[in-house]
């Protein structure tokens, strides 16, 4: 999580004005996977010059800053909040199921974080709102035997992360992006958000969080992508 910086405010202003045309003219436009990416050269330069509180450069190697979140696809789940259920289970003392109203009654966190897609774009300083995974783990009574966390999503999509990384303060299940409910294409009603690993670890259309003793490589991890996915080590492929 980052404090609001000048670059965050600049990005927020630009996004608010939605001057993507100006943005594209100042940066460059690249067509990838059937979509257009609007990169900003100036935001990329600024982010490269910044250092995170953990000492790492704000922008991981090989990444460029995008001007707004792009839907990257995936097989959509049910976006209805009324039908949403989140199962928190596995290596826990008290497994439980939450509906959307119950999720909203838990301690809420609003955070500005950076996310990094393996295809080379980063979205920096966007605001997300939700509940920390560490809070859900605490409620469930996480067992010592839980070494890994599996995010479970619609149609069998899963993403695996390590226990220690799942319990970081900036790892959340989120339902708002930039002050608005998540769009259907971005995983409505709820997705996981793991800012410090490549973005495929942030499972859209989330249905469960399962704590496990033994690691279970997920959807992309079993299709040639790196099991850990640290953007600063460029852990892109296995
Ligand atoms: N359920 C589900 N979650 C998913 C995916 C998916 O295919 N299904 N794709 C992942 C990938 S590869 C990326 S880059 C991000 C994209 O999120 P976005 O579409 O909101 O930009 O979601 C991740 N979460
Ligand atoms: Mo991705």
């Amino acid at each position: 999580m980052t404090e609001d910086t000048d670059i965050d405010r600049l990005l927020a202003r630009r996004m608010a004005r939605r001057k993507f045309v100006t943005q594209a003219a100042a940066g460059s436009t690249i067509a990838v996977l059937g979509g257009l990416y609007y990169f900003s050269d100036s935001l990329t330069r600024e982010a490269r010059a910044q250092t995170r509180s953990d000492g790492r450069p704000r922008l991981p190697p090989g990444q460029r800053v995008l001007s707004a979140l792009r839907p990257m696809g995936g097989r959509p789940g049910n976006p209805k909040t009324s039908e949403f259920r989140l199962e928190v289970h596995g290596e826990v003392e008290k497994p439980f199921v939450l509906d959307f109203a119950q999720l909203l009654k838990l301690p809420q966190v609003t955070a500005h974080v950076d996310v990094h897609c393996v295809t080379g774009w980063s979205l920096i300083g966007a605001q997300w709102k939700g509940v920390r995974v560490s809070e859900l783990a605490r409620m469930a009574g996480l067992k010592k035997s839980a070494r890994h966390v599996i995010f479970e999503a619609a149609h069998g999509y899963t993403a695996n992360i390590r226990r220690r990384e799942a319990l970081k303060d900036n790892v959340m299940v989120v339902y708002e992006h930039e002050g608005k409910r998540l769009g259907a294409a971005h995983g409505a009603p709820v997705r996981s958000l793991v800012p410090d690993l490549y973005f495929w670890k942030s499972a859209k259309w989330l249905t469960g969080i399962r704590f496990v003793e033994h690691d279970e490589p997920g959807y992309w991890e079993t299709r040639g992508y790196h099991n850990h996915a640290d953007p600063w080590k460029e852990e892109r492929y296995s």
Side-chain angles (χ1 to χ4, degrees):
M1 234 156 321
T2 57
E3 298 296 313
D4 271 26
T5 58
D6 289 346
I7 197 166
D8 290 333
R9 279 192 289 273
L10 177 64
L11 184 64
R13 272 203 305 276
R14 287 187 179 189
M15 287 175 66
R17 285 195 242 114
R18 293 268 187 276
K19 284 198 171 167
F20 293 148
V21 178
T22 315
Q23 191 92 35
S28 46
T29 309
I30 298 183
V32 194
L33 295 173
L36 287 179
Y37 289 61
Y38 297 98
F39 288 114
S40 165
D41 290 345
S42 58
L43 290 175
T44 298
R45 262 195 311 276
E46 286 178 66
R48 283 204 180 120
Q50 294 185 328
T51 303
R52 293 161 44 113
S53 55
D54 63 10
R56 293 189 281 184
R58 182 162 192 186
L59 205 60
Q63 298 295 115
R64 300 164 74 196
V65 176
L66 195 71
S67 41
L69 188 61
R70 271 205 59 80
M72 295 292 288
R75 202 172 149 202
N78 182 350
K80 283 192 186 161
T81 52
S82 60
E83 287 165 30
F84 172 77
R85 299 289 182 277
L86 181 70
E87 188 178 6
V88 178
H89 60 138
E91 295 294 305
V92 295
E93 306 289 351
K94 300 162 282 179
F96 60 86
V97 178
L98 283 179
D99 63 22
F100 196 74
Q102 290 169 323
L103 184 72
L104 297 192
K105 288 194 188 112
L106 302 181
Q108 305 291 303
V109 175
T110 299
H112 290 88
V113 303
D114 301 344
V115 298
H116 311 287
C117 178
V118 70
T119 58
W121 58 257
S122 296
L123 182 72
I124 62 169
Q127 182 187 288
W128 302 83
K129 185 175 180 186
V131 173
R132 287 192 176 115
V133 168
S134 62
E135 176 68 26
L136 299 169
R138 190 193 58 74
M139 287 168 59
L142 189 59
K143 291 185 184 172
K144 282 220 172 66
S145 54
R147 304 311 313 160
H148 302 270
V149 180
I150 312 299
F151 292 116
E152 302 172 320
H155 311 295
Y157 183 96
T158 60
N160 56 318
I161 67 173
R162 298 170 183 170
R163 174 196 177 113
R164 186 177 45 81
E165 289 176 325
L167 299 180
K168 284 172 69 171
D169 272 356
N170 64 0
V171 175
M172 320 200 291
V173 302
V174 296
Y175 56 88
E176 272 187 29
H177 171 69
E178 298 290 273
K180 289 196 201 128
R181 283 289 170 83
L182 274 189
H186 296 292
V190 176
R191 76 183 299 168
S192 64
L193 183 68
V194 188
D196 293 344
L197 296 174
Y198 281 124
F199 203 29
W200 81 76
K201 298 286 189 182
S202 298
K204 304 192 277 190
W205 311 291
L206 192 68
T207 58
I209 301 178
R210 184 160 48 90
F211 296 93
V212 295
E213 190 174 348
H214 302 289
D215 196 12
E216 290 178 23
Y219 183 86
W220 289 112
E221 295 82 4
T222 54
R223 286 166 175 78
Y225 286 86
H226 199 283
N227 194 50
H228 182 226
D230 182 338
W232 285 269
K233 296 180 181 159
E234 288 203 76
E235 293 174 340
R236 297 176 192 272
Y237 311 104
S238 57

